[in-house]
Amino acid sequence: NAGVMQNPRHLVRRRGQEARLRCSPMKGHSHVYWYRQLPEEGLKFMVYLQKENIIDESGMPKERFSAEFPKEGPSILRIQQVVRGDSAAYFCASSPGGASYEQYFGPGTRLTVT
Amino acid sequence: AQSVTQPDIHITVSEGASLELRCNYSYGATPYLFWYVQSPGQGLQLLLKYFSGDTLVQGIKGFEAEFKRSQSSFNLRKPSVHWSDAAEYFCAVGEYNFNKFYFGSGTKLNVKP
């Protein structure tokens, strides 16, 4: 059973470009969470999605950031017009929901904005 | 507001020595508590979790943690550290409805030969 998959693992963008980060949850998991980890810091919650629905986006910056989890395909975290401060590791986690409350994390995407 | 504090940023122990990593939380209701480990350049791996019941929980790789409600703590312990335990350790609190986790800032463990 494959774990949570994220791609790309490393992404370099120039200021002003768009970044698209992909997350494929574990098989059977319908809940996806995105976290951001700045250098020397812990993970900060960004958004929680279920298929075709955003459940909680209280941690998402109000501008330039969006997330989706379509009926088919991976979850996408999209950052428009990236700035240097967006440089971070972005982790996706998935959960089956229901009575199982563990979140399983992917290896992360390390975004560098030059 | 919910928060997690890991007061030790770096810890160095000798191989074979015992280890305790501290974690304090602030949460209004019964917490769901977790410890994760992150190796350099890798994602997070769950070590153990506490939902309810016995306050001493056992995890993988010989780790255990004890929930102390009176101290709002969930410290991670290992009786004998191995060089392969060198990594960063994160404590996390999960909300009741599990919309999100709150993570501490992490403790980097260095193991001396």
Side-chain angles (χ1 to χ4, degrees):
Chain A
N1 185 13
V4 178
M5 299 176 69
Q6 290 188 249
N7 67 82
R9 293 291 306 274
H10 299 274
L11 182 62
V12 179
R13 285 287 179 264
R14 292 197 184 95
R15 279 181 296 171
Q17 291 185 321
E18 178 180 289
R20 282 184 177 241
L21 288 61
R22 293 174 183 77
C23 169
S24 296
M26 287 181 70
K27 187 176 181 180
H29 289 193
S30 58
H31 299 238
V32 166
Y33 309 78
W34 285 93
Y35 294 83
R36 177 164 64 176
Q37 184 180 31
L38 295 170
E40 307 300 321
E41 294 187 15
L43 280 71
K44 297 289 193 295
F45 169 82
M46 300 181 74
V47 63
Y48 162 44
L49 310 102
Q50 295 181 22
K51 285 284 188 181
E52 300 185 277
N53 285 303
I54 296 174
I55 307 301
D56 183 343
E57 56 181 349
S58 58
M60 287 273 274
K62 297 294 182 222
E63 297 178 350
R64 301 187 297 109
F65 285 72
S66 63
E68 63 177 12
F69 189 17
K71 187 176 180 181
E72 302 290 339
S75 175
I76 307 284
L77 179 67
R78 182 181 177 204
I79 311 172
Q80 295 178 292
Q81 300 176 326
V82 295
V83 301
R84 289 234 171 95
D86 297 331
S87 294
Y90 292 83
F91 289 93
C92 168
S94 74
S95 167
S100 175
Y101 300 119
E102 295 172 27
Q103 293 186 12
Y104 296 82
F105 283 80
T109 294
R110 278 149 185 86
L111 172 65
T112 301
V113 179
T114 60
Chain B
Q2 297 86 339
S3 66
V4 179
T5 301
Q6 294 179 247
D8 304 306
I9 298 173
H10 289 97
I11 283 186
T12 297
V13 299
S14 298
E15 191 168 16
S18 64
L19 171 70
E20 182 169 26
L21 302 182
R22 295 183 290 166
C23 172
N24 293 95
Y25 66 89
S26 172
Y27 187 62
T30 300
Y32 294 88
L33 297 161
F34 304 81
W35 274 99
Y36 284 86
V37 60
Q38 183 182 32
S39 297
Q42 301 298 314
L44 278 70
Q45 181 182 20
L46 179 67
L47 285 175
L48 48 77
K49 62 189 177 188
Y50 171 80
F51 291 166
S52 64
D54 193 348
T55 56
L56 183 63
V57 293
Q58 302 297 320
I60 62 171
K61 305 184 180 187
F63 285 93
E64 66 178 26
E66 186 171 13
F67 170 56
K68 293 185 177 180
R69 184 187 298 276
S70 61
Q71 298 177 20
S72 296
S73 69
F74 188 56
N75 294 348
L76 181 71
R77 300 194 293 250
K78 186 169 184 178
S80 178
V81 169
H82 188 262
W83 64 267
S84 61
D85 294 324
E88 190 160 18
Y89 292 79
F90 291 95
C91 180
V93 170
E95 284 191 337
Y96 173 72
N97 59 4
F98 274 75
N99 279 4
K100 65 191 79 168
F101 281 12
Y102 297 89
F103 282 85
S105 54
T107 297
K108 288 184 179 175
L109 173 65
N110 182 40
V111 180
K112 290 191 301 185

